[in-house]
Amino acid sequence: MEKIRIQKIIADSGYCSRRKAEELIIDNKVKVNGNIINELGFKVKNSDEIEVEGNLLDNNKSYEYY
């Protein structure tokens, strides 16, 4: 299972930009599996539960290409 940087996951979810995600991480507004994350290079798996400003992200999105 591949691990991906948390700011990329947040940005790919459409919640905000990658730069804004970095600000949220620094401001202690991001939780992974209930633990506050304040490390910018933190990597997560698709199975991890990510919460940003109290909102749970759906990081298991699948895309359809036409």
Side-chain angles (χ1 to χ4, degrees), residues 2-26:
E2 182 183 358
K3 290 188 172 188
I4 303 171
R5 288 183 342 246
I6 189 161
Q7 56 265 50
K8 179 165 175 30
I9 294 285
I10 295 169
D12 287 349
S13 75
Y15 189 84
C16 62
S17 69
R18 188 174 48 84
R19 300 275 186 232
K20 178 66 177 172
E22 290 173 353
E23 290 177 20
L24 293 171
I25 293 167
I26 291 169

Side-chain angles (χ1 to χ4, degrees), residues 1 4 11 18-19 22 38 50 60 64:
M1 186 172 290
I4 303 171
R18 188 174 48 84
R19 300 275 186 232
E22 290 173 353
N38 56 10
I50 301 169
N60 291 321
E64 290 185 31

